[in-house]
Amino acid sequence: MPSTQGQTGVLINPDFIAALRDARHVCVLTGAGVSAESGVPTFRDSQHGLWEKYDPQQLATPEAFEEDPKLVWQWYRWRRELVAAANPNPGHLALARLAELVPRFTLVTQNVDGLHQRAGNSKVIEFHGNLFDDRCCAEGRLVEDAADADVPACPRCGANLRPGVVWFGETIPDSALDQSFAAAADCDVFLSVGTSSLVYPAAGLADIAKENRAMVAEINPNPTIRVAAYDFSIVANAAAALPKLVESLAT
Ligand code: OAD
C-alpha cells in the first residue's frame, strides 16, 4: 500500500485520483480529525484530546447522565459554545465540493459538530447524532423549543431532555447504520478521514467497502493501525489533503 507524503506538503497518488475520477459512488467517513483545524478538540489525540482531560465514563454515558444530568449538560453546553464559535475549515469545504464532482456521494460522519452541513454538504449521515439536538428522555423524540435550564425539561411531557448524541454503550440509530452499511457496500472508493478507526461499528465500514472490492484510502497525519489493509495512506492533515484531492480531481 503506497503511502504518499511529498517533502513539500501533500502528494496524492495518481492511481487514487484515477480511481476517484472513475468512481460511480464515493463514500467518505469522517472523524474528529476533520474538525481539528476548526479548533474543535479530537477525543484521543495526546495532550489536547477531550478524553485526555475528561473521563468519557463520567460525561458521555447514560449512567453518567442518570447520576448527574446537570454536570453532563454543563459539559455539553461547553462543547456547544466551542463548536458554535468554530467555522468549517478547508477540509470541510473540500468535501462539500467533492460531493458535486462525483456521480454519487455519501458522507458519513462520527462527528456531532454539524460543520459538514455548515460547509455545504446537504446530506450527512450523522452516525453519533448532533450536538445541537435536544432529545426527550421519555419520548425519544427531538425537541425544538426547550426552555433553558440546568437540566431542560420536555415541553410536552416534562421529562428531562438530553443532548441528541449517541453515548458510549448506546446503539447507533438504525437509519444511520443501514444507510452507512449500504453505502460502504456499494461504493467504488471509500475514504476514511481524520478518525482513529477505533470505535465500531463506524470503524467497520472500511472493511465492508474492502470486502465489496472498493478502493480504500485514509487521510490522517498519524496513520492508523488499520491502514495496512487499505490501498492508500495520505499522511497529512485533512485541511491540506482534501483541497489537494479536489483540485487534482477537478483539473
Ligand atoms: P479520535 O480522537 O479517536 O481520533 C482522531 C483522529 O484524527 C486521530 O487518528 C488523529 O491522528 C486524526 N487527526 C488529528 N488531527 C487531524 C487533522 N488535522 N487531519 C486529519 N486527521 C487528524 O476521534 P474519532 O476517530 O472521531 O464517539 O473518534 C471516534 C469516536 O470516538 C467519536 O465519534 C466519539 C469518540 O468516543 C462518540 O461520541 C460516541
Side-chain angles (χ1 to χ4, degrees), residues 66 133 204 229:
E66 183 73 27
D133 287 344

Side-chain angles (χ1 to χ4, degrees), residues 184-185 187 190 204-217 228-232:
C187 70
F190 185 91
L205 293 173
D207 303 327
I208 294 171
K210 200 84 194 121
E211 285 154 20
N212 287 276
R213 290 179 300 288
M215 186 165 279
V216 178
Y230 297 171
D231 300 287
F232 297 100

Side-chain angles (χ1 to χ4, degrees), residues 1-4 13 15 230-234:
M1 171 272 312
S3 161
T4 53
N13 189 305
D15 293 344
Y230 297 171
D231 300 287
F232 297 100
S233 164
I234 302 166

